[in-house]
Amino acid sequence: MGQVFTRAAAAWFRVALGAVAVVVAGAFAFAWAWVRSPWNTGVGVPIEQPVPFSHAHHVGGLGIDCRYCHGAVETSAYAGMPATETCMTCHAQVWTSAALLAPVHDSFASGTPLRWNRVYRLPDHVYFEHRAHVAAGVPCVTCHGRMDRMALTAVARPLEMRACLACHRHPERALVERAQEFSPAAVPAGDDTARARRLALAAHLLPPAQLTTCSTCHR
């Protein structure tokens, strides 16, 4: 029986197969890079706000405690956003004519709250409670990063399920001493086994098996 395909046709077929393999591999690589990129995760990308609020200035420079603006963080699932009256406790006296603060003064004069844009967004099927994490001794810096260094607020780390599970499997590594939860420079126990064990006992943590059940975060 004679040869079905010419040598040239066979060569072109091999080239075509190689090109398909390259395209498929490139598509997978692009998808992986996109998933991990700031364009998808939002990490490091400042979120536009009605007022360009600087945590670096207010927290890092002035030393204002997180709870001064986020007053519900110890008592509610949601940390809360500051009312305009909170801003005006200072800005009725300082920077009163600054153009950047015009929305604050207008909000206070009209009684219309400022509409801040969310920085962190969780899917509707995910439940997160600030109160429980703060009560256990998990510091703000674990999820929100060094806010005292952020001139404009951005996501510090992607809110991925694997990150939550890694923490829930070894929650003791994420803990700090009491009264240190709100320190922007707090350092969790990490690999310090003795410190982690001591903090876990003090926090009365649930067993990891309970912390990693689906119903813990998906309600």
Side-chain angles (χ1 to χ4, degrees), residues 25-110:
F28 276 106
F30 176 81
W32 176 254
W34 166 257
V35 168
R36 305 297 299 172
S37 73
W39 291 283
N40 181 55
T41 63
V43 172
V45 181
I47 302 298
E48 185 177 357
Q49 301 292 352
V51 178
F53 183 88
S54 172
H55 281 86
H57 171 66
H58 291 82
V59 178
L62 301 178
I64 296 177
D65 189 281
C66 305
R67 291 163 290 186
Y68 187 76
C69 294
H70 305 290
V73 69
E74 294 179 286
T75 59
S76 173
Y78 180 51
M81 295 297 291
T84 304
E85 288 78 2
T86 301
C87 306
M88 290 299 288
T89 54
C90 292
H91 289 297
Q93 306 295 327
V94 297
W95 283 33
T96 56
S97 59
L100 287 176
L101 295 179
V104 176
H105 293 286
D106 292 344
S107 170
F108 185 71
S110 65

Side-chain angles (χ1 to χ4, degrees), residues 16-34:
L17 283 179
V20 169
V22 170
V23 169
V24 171
F28 276 106
F30 176 81
W32 176 254
W34 166 257

